[in-house]
Amino acid sequence: LLKKLEVKQPVGRWLVQLTLAKTALSRTQAAAALSKWGDPASVKALETAARRDPFWAVSAEAAASLGALRSDASRAALERLLSAKHPKVRRAVVTALADWTDSRTAKLLTRFALRDPSIHVRAQSLRALGRAKDPSVYPVLRAALKDRSYWNVVASGALQGLSLTRDPAVLPDLLKAAKPPSPFQVRMNALRALSVWHQLDESVLSVIADATSSQDERVAMTAVSCLGDTGSPLAVPHLERLQKSTVDTRLKTYAAEALAKLKPEDDKS
Protein backbone atom coordinates (compact mmCIF):
# COMPACT_ATOMS: atom_id res chain seq x y z
CA LEU A 1 0.00 0.00 0.00
CA LEU A 2 1.68 3.21 -1.19
CA LYS A 3 -1.04 5.71 -0.47
CA LYS A 4 -4.36 6.04 1.29
CA LEU A 5 -6.69 8.97 0.66
CA GLU A 6 -9.26 9.87 3.28
CA VAL A 7 -11.89 12.43 2.41
CA LYS A 8 -13.58 14.36 5.20
CA GLN A 9 -16.67 16.40 4.50
CA PRO A 10 -20.00 17.22 6.17
CA VAL A 11 -22.72 14.60 6.13
CA GLY A 12 -24.83 16.77 3.86
CA ARG A 13 -22.24 16.58 1.11
CA TRP A 14 -22.02 12.80 1.42
CA LEU A 15 -25.79 12.63 1.03
CA VAL A 16 -25.63 14.71 -2.13
CA GLN A 17 -22.76 12.60 -3.48
CA LEU A 18 -24.66 9.37 -2.83
CA THR A 19 -27.69 10.68 -4.69
CA LEU A 20 -26.21 12.70 -7.55
CA ALA A 21 -22.66 11.49 -8.27
CA LYS A 22 -22.29 10.27 -11.85
CA THR A 23 -19.85 7.43 -11.20
CA ALA A 24 -20.60 4.28 -9.24
CA LEU A 25 -17.24 4.62 -7.47
CA SER A 26 -18.19 8.03 -6.05
CA ARG A 27 -21.58 6.77 -4.91
CA THR A 28 -19.96 3.72 -3.31
CA GLN A 29 -17.52 5.95 -1.43
CA ALA A 30 -20.41 8.06 -0.17
CA ALA A 31 -22.33 4.97 0.96
CA ALA A 32 -19.31 3.74 2.89
CA ALA A 33 -18.74 7.13 4.50
CA LEU A 34 -22.34 7.32 5.71
CA SER A 35 -21.74 4.22 7.86
CA LYS A 36 -20.32 6.67 10.42
CA TRP A 37 -23.52 8.71 10.61
CA GLY A 38 -26.65 7.38 12.26
CA ASP A 39 -29.04 10.25 11.72
CA PRO A 40 -32.46 9.61 10.13
CA ALA A 41 -31.49 11.32 6.86
CA SER A 42 -28.48 9.03 6.42
CA VAL A 43 -30.51 5.90 7.12
CA LYS A 44 -33.17 6.98 4.65
CA ALA A 45 -30.61 7.83 1.96
CA LEU A 46 -28.82 4.50 2.39
CA GLU A 47 -32.07 2.56 2.17
CA THR A 48 -33.04 4.46 -0.97
CA ALA A 49 -29.64 3.80 -2.55
CA ALA A 50 -29.80 0.13 -1.65
CA ARG A 51 -33.16 -0.18 -3.36
CA ARG A 52 -32.84 2.14 -6.34
CA ASP A 53 -29.20 2.64 -7.37
CA PRO A 54 -28.70 1.34 -10.92
CA PHE A 55 -25.48 -0.50 -9.99
CA TRP A 56 -25.77 -3.42 -7.60
CA ALA A 57 -22.39 -2.80 -5.94
CA VAL A 58 -23.50 0.64 -4.74
CA SER A 59 -26.66 -0.91 -3.33
CA ALA A 60 -24.63 -3.62 -1.61
CA GLU A 61 -22.32 -1.04 -0.03
CA ALA A 62 -25.34 0.90 1.18
CA ALA A 63 -26.70 -2.27 2.81
CA ALA A 64 -23.33 -2.90 4.47
CA SER A 65 -23.34 0.64 5.87
CA LEU A 66 -26.82 0.14 7.28
CA GLY A 67 -25.51 -2.95 9.04
CA ALA A 68 -22.55 -1.03 10.43
CA LEU A 69 -24.87 1.57 11.97
CA ARG A 70 -26.34 -1.09 14.29
CA SER A 71 -29.43 0.97 15.14
CA ASP A 72 -33.09 0.05 15.33
CA ALA A 73 -33.79 2.25 12.33
CA SER A 74 -31.06 0.68 10.21
CA ARG A 75 -32.22 -2.80 11.18
CA ALA A 76 -35.77 -1.99 10.11
CA ALA A 77 -34.43 -0.64 6.81
CA LEU A 78 -32.47 -3.85 6.19
CA GLU A 79 -35.52 -5.97 6.90
CA ARG A 80 -37.47 -4.01 4.29
CA LEU A 81 -34.59 -4.43 1.85
CA LEU A 82 -34.88 -8.21 1.96
CA SER A 83 -37.35 -7.73 -0.89
CA ALA A 84 -34.63 -6.24 -3.14
CA LYS A 85 -34.76 -7.65 -6.66
CA HIS A 86 -31.04 -8.11 -7.31
CA PRO A 87 -29.70 -11.28 -5.65
CA LYS A 88 -26.32 -9.70 -4.89
CA VAL A 89 -28.07 -6.91 -3.02
CA ARG A 90 -30.19 -9.41 -1.05
CA ARG A 91 -27.00 -11.28 -0.23
CA ALA A 92 -25.44 -8.08 1.12
CA VAL A 93 -28.59 -7.41 3.16
CA VAL A 94 -28.45 -10.90 4.67
CA THR A 95 -24.77 -10.40 5.51
CA ALA A 96 -25.55 -7.13 7.26
CA LEU A 97 -28.45 -8.61 9.22
CA ALA A 98 -26.26 -11.46 10.46
CA ASP A 99 -24.85 -9.13 13.12
CA TRP A 100 -28.21 -9.35 14.89
CA THR A 101 -28.18 -12.86 16.30
CA ASP A 102 -31.59 -12.96 17.96
CA SER A 103 -34.66 -15.08 17.21
CA ARG A 104 -36.31 -12.30 15.19
CA THR A 105 -33.49 -12.29 12.65
CA ALA A 106 -33.19 -16.07 12.69
CA LYS A 107 -36.86 -16.39 11.75
CA LEU A 108 -36.44 -13.95 8.87
CA LEU A 109 -33.30 -15.57 7.52
CA THR A 110 -34.73 -19.08 7.77
CA ARG A 111 -37.27 -18.11 5.14
CA PHE A 112 -34.51 -17.01 2.77
CA ALA A 113 -32.35 -20.03 3.56
CA LEU A 114 -35.19 -22.28 2.46
CA ARG A 115 -36.78 -20.50 -0.46
CA ASP A 116 -34.72 -17.72 -2.02
CA PRO A 117 -34.32 -18.14 -5.81
CA SER A 118 -30.58 -17.43 -5.53
CA ILE A 119 -28.37 -20.24 -4.24
CA HIS A 120 -25.85 -17.66 -3.02
CA VAL A 121 -28.48 -15.84 -0.96
CA ARG A 122 -29.55 -19.18 0.50
CA ALA A 123 -25.95 -20.08 1.35
CA GLN A 124 -25.30 -16.71 2.97
CA SER A 125 -28.52 -17.03 4.98
CA LEU A 126 -27.35 -20.42 6.26
CA ARG A 127 -24.01 -18.97 7.34
CA ALA A 128 -25.85 -16.17 9.13
CA LEU A 129 -28.09 -18.68 10.91
CA GLY A 130 -24.99 -20.44 12.20
CA ARG A 131 -23.76 -17.21 13.76
CA ALA A 132 -26.98 -17.06 15.78
CA LYS A 133 -25.90 -20.23 17.64
CA ASP A 134 -29.56 -21.08 18.15
CA PRO A 135 -30.24 -24.85 18.34
CA SER A 136 -33.71 -24.29 16.90
CA VAL A 137 -32.16 -23.58 13.48
CA TYR A 138 -29.98 -26.71 13.44
CA PRO A 139 -32.65 -28.76 11.59
CA VAL A 140 -32.63 -26.15 8.80
CA LEU A 141 -28.84 -26.32 8.53
CA ARG A 142 -28.79 -30.12 8.58
CA ALA A 143 -31.50 -30.38 5.92
CA ALA A 144 -29.55 -28.03 3.66
CA LEU A 145 -26.57 -30.41 3.75
CA LYS A 146 -28.53 -32.67 1.40
CA ASP A 147 -29.18 -29.89 -1.11
CA ARG A 148 -27.40 -30.59 -4.39
CA SER A 149 -27.31 -27.14 -5.94
CA TYR A 150 -24.81 -25.99 -8.56
CA TRP A 151 -21.30 -26.60 -7.25
CA ASN A 152 -22.99 -27.55 -3.95
CA VAL A 153 -23.07 -23.91 -2.93
CA VAL A 154 -26.06 -24.35 -0.59
CA ALA A 155 -24.67 -27.41 1.18
CA SER A 156 -21.33 -25.63 1.63
CA GLY A 157 -23.10 -22.65 3.19
CA ALA A 158 -24.87 -25.02 5.57
CA LEU A 159 -21.54 -26.58 6.57
CA GLN A 160 -20.05 -23.20 7.30
CA GLY A 161 -23.13 -22.29 9.30
CA LEU A 162 -22.88 -25.45 11.37
CA SER A 163 -19.19 -24.80 11.98
CA LEU A 164 -19.91 -21.25 13.16
CA THR A 165 -22.16 -22.56 15.94
CA ARG A 166 -19.08 -23.99 17.70
CA ASP A 167 -21.50 -26.47 19.26
CA PRO A 168 -20.12 -30.00 19.82
CA ALA A 169 -23.60 -31.30 19.00
CA VAL A 170 -23.03 -30.58 15.30
CA LEU A 171 -19.57 -32.17 15.12
CA PRO A 172 -20.92 -35.54 13.87
CA ASP A 173 -22.54 -33.71 10.93
CA LEU A 174 -19.21 -32.13 9.97
CA LEU A 175 -17.33 -35.42 10.31
CA LYS A 176 -19.86 -37.23 8.13
CA ALA A 177 -19.74 -34.52 5.47
CA ALA A 178 -15.95 -34.80 5.30
CA LYS A 179 -16.12 -38.43 4.18
CA PRO A 180 -17.35 -40.24 1.05
CA PRO A 181 -19.86 -40.35 -0.53
CA SER A 182 -20.17 -36.58 -0.02
CA PRO A 183 -19.37 -34.58 -3.20
CA PHE A 184 -15.87 -33.17 -3.34
CA GLN A 185 -17.01 -29.56 -2.78
CA VAL A 186 -18.82 -30.61 0.39
CA ARG A 187 -15.87 -32.66 1.61
CA MET A 188 -13.46 -29.78 1.03
CA ASN A 189 -15.63 -27.31 2.94
CA ALA A 190 -16.17 -29.81 5.74
CA LEU A 191 -12.41 -30.32 6.08
CA ARG A 192 -11.83 -26.56 6.23
CA ALA A 193 -14.49 -26.29 8.93
CA LEU A 194 -12.98 -29.15 10.91
CA SER A 195 -9.51 -27.60 10.95
CA VAL A 196 -10.62 -25.29 13.78
CA TRP A 197 -12.36 -28.07 15.71
CA HIS A 198 -9.45 -30.43 16.42
CA GLN A 199 -9.13 -29.26 20.03
CA LEU A 200 -12.72 -30.32 20.77
CA ASP A 201 -12.36 -33.91 19.65
CA GLU A 202 -9.28 -36.04 18.88
CA SER A 203 -11.12 -37.85 16.08
CA VAL A 204 -11.14 -34.67 14.00
CA LEU A 205 -7.42 -34.80 13.26
CA SER A 206 -7.56 -38.43 12.14
CA VAL A 207 -10.47 -37.71 9.77
CA ILE A 208 -8.51 -34.87 8.16
CA ALA A 209 -5.40 -37.06 7.96
CA ASP A 210 -7.36 -39.89 6.33
CA ALA A 211 -8.58 -37.48 3.67
CA THR A 212 -4.98 -36.83 2.54
CA SER A 213 -5.07 -40.25 0.86
CA SER A 214 -8.23 -39.45 -1.11
CA GLN A 215 -8.13 -40.40 -4.80
CA ASP A 216 -9.56 -36.97 -5.54
CA GLU A 217 -6.49 -34.75 -5.53
CA ARG A 218 -8.59 -31.67 -4.75
CA VAL A 219 -9.78 -33.25 -1.51
CA ALA A 220 -6.31 -34.55 -0.65
CA MET A 221 -4.63 -31.16 -1.14
CA THR A 222 -7.33 -29.45 0.93
CA ALA A 223 -6.81 -31.98 3.72
CA VAL A 224 -3.04 -31.41 3.70
CA SER A 225 -3.52 -27.64 3.95
CA CYS A 226 -6.03 -28.12 6.76
CA LEU A 227 -3.53 -30.19 8.75
CA GLY A 228 -1.19 -27.22 8.60
CA ASP A 229 -4.00 -24.86 9.60
CA THR A 230 -4.76 -26.85 12.76
CA GLY A 231 -1.53 -25.63 14.32
CA SER A 232 -1.33 -28.94 16.15
CA PRO A 233 2.01 -30.73 16.56
CA LEU A 234 0.02 -33.97 16.31
CA ALA A 235 -0.39 -33.27 12.59
CA VAL A 236 3.37 -33.34 11.97
CA PRO A 237 3.80 -37.16 11.80
CA HIS A 238 0.90 -37.42 9.31
CA LEU A 239 2.46 -34.81 7.07
CA GLU A 240 5.97 -36.26 7.28
CA ARG A 241 4.68 -39.72 6.34
CA LEU A 242 2.77 -38.29 3.41
CA GLN A 243 5.78 -36.31 2.23
CA LYS A 244 7.89 -39.49 2.14
CA SER A 245 5.29 -41.86 0.68
CA THR A 246 3.45 -39.91 -1.99
CA VAL A 247 4.63 -39.72 -5.60
CA ASP A 248 2.36 -36.72 -6.26
CA THR A 249 4.67 -33.70 -6.48
CA ARG A 250 1.87 -31.27 -5.72
CA LEU A 251 0.97 -33.12 -2.54
CA LYS A 252 4.66 -33.11 -1.55
CA THR A 253 4.71 -29.33 -2.00
CA TYR A 254 1.51 -28.86 -0.01
CA ALA A 255 2.89 -31.09 2.75
CA ALA A 256 6.11 -29.09 2.90
CA GLU A 257 4.16 -25.84 3.16
CA ALA A 258 1.95 -27.27 5.92
CA LEU A 259 4.99 -28.49 7.84
CA ALA A 260 6.56 -25.03 7.55
CA LYS A 261 3.53 -23.64 9.37
CA LEU A 262 3.83 -26.21 12.13
CA LYS A 263 7.63 -26.15 12.45
CA PRO A 264 8.66 -22.56 11.64
CA GLU A 265 11.92 -22.96 13.54
CA ASP A 266 13.12 -25.29 10.78
CA ASP A 267 13.00 -22.38 8.35
CA LYS A 268 15.57 -20.49 10.41
CA SER A 269 18.03 -23.35 10.76
Side-chain angles (χ1 to χ4, degrees), residues 124-146:
Q124 190 63 25
S125 299
L126 291 163
R127 295 184 193 99
L129 287 175
R131 288 183 59 184
K133 297 178 171 61
D134 182 355
S136 68
V137 305
Y138 291 1
V140 177
L141 294 168
R142 288 183 171 119
L145 290 175
K146 302 174 184 177

Side-chain angles (χ1 to χ4, degrees), residues 1 29 75 92 101 109 115-116 150 203 206 209 220 237:
L1 180 65
Q29 290 172 336
R75 179 180 186 174
T101 56
L109 296 184
R115 291 188 290 274
D116 195 274
Y150 174 73
S203 63
S206 62

Side-chain angles (χ1 to χ4, degrees), residues 39 60 73-74 91 123 157 160 210:
D39 59 291
S74 67
R91 183 180 180 184
Q160 291 162 349
D210 288 346

Side-chain angles (χ1 to χ4, degrees), residues 10 14-15 38 40 47 67 71-72 80 111 132 152 164 169 205-206 209 211 218 220 225 234 238-239 245 256 259 269:
W14 287 123
L15 292 171
E47 182 179 1
S71 67
D72 291 341
R80 290 190 292 269
R111 178 159 52 92
N152 289 291
L164 287 169
L205 201 65
S206 62
R218 296 165 296 189
S225 294
L234 297 176
H238 296 292
L239 291 167
S245 63
L259 283 168
S269 59

Side-chain angles (χ1 to χ4, degrees), residues 16-219:
V16 172
Q17 183 172 323
L18 177 62
T19 306
L20 300 178
K22 293 183 178 180
T23 66
L25 177 59
S26 293
R27 298 196 303 277
T28 301
Q29 290 172 336
L34 287 171
S35 66
K36 301 174 183 177
W37 304 83
D39 59 291
S42 296
V43 172
K44 183 178 179 180
L46 288 168
E47 182 179 1
T48 300
R51 191 175 296 280
R52 297 181 183 175
D53 196 278
F55 185 39
W56 68 265
V58 178
S59 298
E61 187 65 43
S65 290
L66 285 169
L69 289 175
R70 295 285 293 163
S71 67
D72 291 341
S74 67
R75 179 180 186 174
L78 287 168
E79 290 174 349
R80 290 190 292 269
L81 286 168
L82 284 169
S83 62
K85 293 182 179 180
H86 201 296
K88 291 183 179 180
V89 178
R90 290 200 305 280
R91 183 180 180 184
V93 172
V94 167
T95 302
L97 277 172
D99 288 333
W100 284 273
T101 56
D102 54 19
S103 58
R104 170 178 154 186
T105 300
K107 185 176 180 180
L108 274 174
L109 296 184
T110 296
R111 178 159 52 92
F112 285 83
L114 294 173
R115 291 188 290 274
D116 195 274
S118 166
I119 58 175
H120 295 288
V121 175
R122 290 185 62 196
Q124 190 63 25
S125 299
L126 291 163
R127 295 184 193 99
L129 287 175
R131 288 183 59 184
K133 297 178 171 61
D134 182 355
S136 68
V137 305
Y138 291 1
V140 177
L141 294 168
R142 288 183 171 119
L145 290 175
K146 302 174 184 177
D147 191 295
R148 290 297 169 256
S149 59
Y150 174 73
W151 216 244
N152 289 291
V153 168
V154 174
S156 297
L159 276 169
Q160 291 162 349
L162 286 169
S163 178
L164 287 169
T165 66
R166 296 295 186 267
D167 186 345
V170 307
L171 184 56
D173 300 287
L174 299 177
L175 292 170
K176 181 179 178 181
K179 301 174 183 177
S182 296
F184 80 89
Q185 302 99 331
V186 174
R187 294 188 67 192
M188 289 165 63
N189 279 286
L191 290 167
R192 293 186 185 109
L194 287 170
S195 65
V196 298
W197 282 69
H198 68 94
Q199 293 179 345
L200 291 177
D201 193 299
E202 293 181 359
S203 63
V204 169
L205 201 65
S206 62
V207 169
I208 299 175
D210 288 346
T212 62
S213 61
S214 171
Q215 293 183 351
D216 189 324
E217 189 184 42
R218 296 165 296 189
V219 174

